[in-house]
Amino acid sequence: MKTLIYLSFLIFCAATASAEENQPDLNLDEKDLSSADIFSVSGFYTLGINHNDSQSQYIRDLSQSRTNHSQTSARTDSRVGVQLLADFTPQWSAALQVTAREGVDYANGDAVDWAFLRYRPNENWSLRVGRLSVDMFMLSDFRNVGYTYPWVRPVQDFYGLIPFFQYNGADLQFRQQLGDGELKLKGNLGRISSTLRSGVGDFRVHGDDLASASFEWSDERFHLRASVGQMNLQGKVPGSDLLSSGLGQLSPFWPSAAQIQHDLKIKGRLKFLLLGASYDNGPWWFQGEWGRMQSEAAIYGHMEGAYLSAAYRIDAFQPYITLSQAKSKNAPYRAPLPQGPLPPQLAMASQNLAAGTNQFLNSLYTDQQTYSIGIRWDFHPRMALKFQYDRIHAADGGKGLWDNGNAQPGRLKANVFSLSFDGLF
């Protein structure tokens, strides 16, 4: 009953929108706009349910709460959204997009995906200012719009590692026809703020001084994309102050305590490089992405994720298969213990603090592979029903993409069964 109430709430509440590809292009040669043409409203929804046979709780990405899920959950994938577009003149327009989904920090305004003003002096250049989608990957503008991709959800081993959805700032885009295709170059500046979930607690992380650039080329069949950028991470995980205080008390006997205290802070530069490509000739569809994130913050570390997916359309049906992997490239954190003999109480205290620090800083450590098969049925021009099966293997100490991070020892082998109903309105 609670699940039905929750799903009804999602449908009749507010939230996200149809993809930007559905936005009307501004006709720069048009001189007059009627009031009926100025504003348009659209939206999307996903009603999803999944079940996994492990004792751990399956999440979609690192922004989702680990307390609202069970082995069977209707919260993980369900979402609904609405988008308001305004074309004031051929050059000036604005967009507002709001999303209701599990994992959104409403108190900090994370439900607002877009709230920007756009200026297009001509068909080649575009400047946007306000709240924008994080421009890092193939699904940057459509990540929440389940109708726009074949899977039940964006591939967890890749998109689960990237818990950033929007930023406040500006972007400048140049596009130009190049042969039979179109070239797009974009630069982004701004600030990211997001709530992350870990096995040791939820915490707010900020990405200051975000600077990134992306390259895209596409024609009727191919779409190539690359993005590169960096930001300065800052944040504090609940419980880190207690560990830091204990380390400070033992610092006269523990030379490494100061370095461990520094490692407990979420502070440092994060760099990212992401590459993607897709091919679509009608019946066949292929898409793959690879990404690397290198962070000076020990809790996030260096991570890589990649996937390759293939689908084949048979009338209204689209069966697909996906292979993916996510892996932390740095070694698991190991706090160095004091050297030499210590009184028993101090030795025990240092061992407990080192163990707590290791659990804390390895809570997001990831080593996971997934094999997925599924089918999409477009039974209506604006509606689709999807079924997906995921077989997931995570190494001992590599379950950072699961509910409790790496708090539970042992390897994980899970079967996840998912069903979703996606649509546009």
Side-chain angles (χ1 to χ4, degrees):
M1 185 64 182
K2 290 183 178 179
T3 297
L4 293 176
I5 293 173
Y6 176 77
L7 294 179
S8 299
F9 171 78
L10 282 179
I11 294 175
F12 292 104
C13 266
T16 332
S18 60
E20 190 169 356
E21 65 181 3
N22 293 324
Q23 295 181 23
D25 286 334
L26 296 179
N27 184 350
L28 299 181
D29 296 325
E30 186 178 351
K31 301 302 181 182
D32 299 315
L33 289 172
S34 68
S35 59
D37 295 329
I38 294 178
F39 296 100
S40 62
V41 179
S42 59
F44 74 89
Y45 54 87
T46 295
L47 303 180
I49 187 168
N50 68 73
H51 172 79
N52 90 87
D53 61 3
S54 76
Q55 295 303 310
S56 296
Q57 298 170 9
Y58 183 70
I59 61 170
R60 186 177 171 118
D61 58 63
L62 293 177
S63 72
Q64 289 197 313
S65 171
R66 303 173 190 272
T67 59
N68 295 328
H69 296 256
S70 59
Q71 286 184 295
T72 301
S73 175
R75 295 176 176 267
T76 309
D77 298 305
S78 297
R79 58 204 55 224
V80 62
V82 64
Q83 180 187 85
L84 174 64
L85 301 176
D87 293 330
F88 302 114
T89 72
Q91 289 78 36
W92 290 95
S93 62
L96 173 66
Q97 177 172 301
V98 184
T99 305
R101 60 181 174 84
E102 209 289 314
V104 166
D105 189 342
Y106 294 97
N108 284 289
D110 292 349
V112 179
D113 291 326
W114 300 350
F116 64 79
L117 181 67
R118 176 167 59 183
Y119 175 61
R120 291 179 60 179
N122 54 53
E123 63 182 8
N124 298 108
W125 290 94
S126 173
L127 173 67
R128 301 189 301 176
V129 178
R131 172 158 291 190
L132 306 162
S133 298
V134 171
D135 187 45
M136 296 171 64
F137 32 79
M138 300 285 282
L139 303 182
S140 291
D141 288 325
F142 323 129
R143 185 171 178 175
N144 284 315
V145 189
Y147 185 83
T148 61
Y149 41 78
W151 325 291
V152 168
R153 67 190 66 85
V155 180
Q156 190 207 29
D157 290 350
F158 183 81
Y159 286 90
L161 298 172
I162 308 171
F164 309 116
F165 285 78
Q166 64 275 116
Y167 73 98
N168 296 327
D171 66 21
L172 178 64
Q173 177 179 277
F174 172 78
R175 66 181 187 179
Q176 176 68 52
Q177 288 297 123
L178 189 63
D180 294 330
E182 183 181 63
L183 173 69
K184 291 183 182 180
L185 302 174
K186 185 186 290 186
N188 309 268
L189 295 173
R191 183 177 190 265
I192 286 176
S193 186
S194 181
T195 298
L196 305 188
R197 325 288 178 169
S198 76
V200 293
D202 301 347
F203 58 96
R204 192 76 178 171
V205 64
H206 305 285
D208 296 325
D209 303 322
L210 168 68
S212 66
S214 63
F215 160 91
E216 287 186 77
W217 181 85
S218 60
D219 62 10
E220 291 184 354
R221 295 189 176 186
F222 291 96
H223 183 190
L224 306 177
R225 177 181 173 84
S227 62
V228 61
Q230 66 176 32
M231 67 185 87
N232 293 318
L233 290 181
Q234 294 188 26
K236 180 183 291 186
V237 182
S240 61
D241 288 342
L242 185 61
L243 285 172
S244 184
S245 176
L247 289 163
Q249 294 178 31
L250 292 182
S251 59
F253 315 97
W254 195 347
S256 301
Q259 179 60 47
I260 300 173
Q261 285 179 305
H262 176 270
D263 293 339
L264 285 169
K265 300 177 181 178
I266 303 178
K267 188 174 184 179
R269 184 174 300 175
L270 182 146
K271 299 179 180 180
F272 59 86
L273 170 64
L274 300 103
L275 306 175
S278 67
Y279 171 79
D280 189 342
N281 71 352
W284 282 104
W285 174 87
F286 298 92
Q287 182 164 297
E289 291 185 85
W290 170 89
R292 170 181 291 176
M293 287 159 287
Q294 296 180 301
S295 171
E296 296 173 351
I299 193 171
Y300 203 70
H302 303 341
M303 297 188 181
E304 282 189 5
Y307 72 89
L308 179 63
S309 188
Y312 187 80
R313 297 181 181 91
I314 308 171
D315 296 327
F317 296 92
Q318 188 178 21
Y320 60 86
I321 184 171
T322 304
L323 306 177
S324 59
Q325 181 177 30
K327 187 174 180 60
S328 296
K329 304 302 290 185
N330 53 292
Y333 189 88
R334 294 290 180 264
L337 290 168
Q339 300 296 316
L342 287 176
Q345 283 187 322
L346 293 180
M348 180 63 70
S350 64
Q351 291 173 6
N352 290 337
L353 285 169
T357 300
N358 293 339
Q359 179 182 350
F360 185 92
L361 294 179
N362 290 321
S363 61
L364 299 182
Y365 197 86
T366 301
D367 186 357
Q368 175 175 304
Q369 301 83 38
T370 304
Y371 310 90
S372 305
I373 58 172
I375 187 167
R376 169 180 174 144
W377 176 29
D378 287 273
F379 63 92
H380 184 275
R382 298 173 70 84
M383 296 179 184
L385 189 65
K386 305 175 188 176
F387 171 78
Q388 183 169 310
Y389 164 72
D390 301 286
R391 175 64 170 174
I392 301 175
H393 298 260
D396 185 14
K399 301 186 289 291
L401 287 176
W402 286 77
D403 64 332
N404 56 355
N406 292 296
Q408 293 184 351
R411 296 177 59 85
L412 181 144
K413 293 183 180 180
N415 299 293
V416 181
F417 303 88
S418 305
L419 183 67
S420 72
F421 171 50
D422 298 276
L424 304 175
F425 60 87

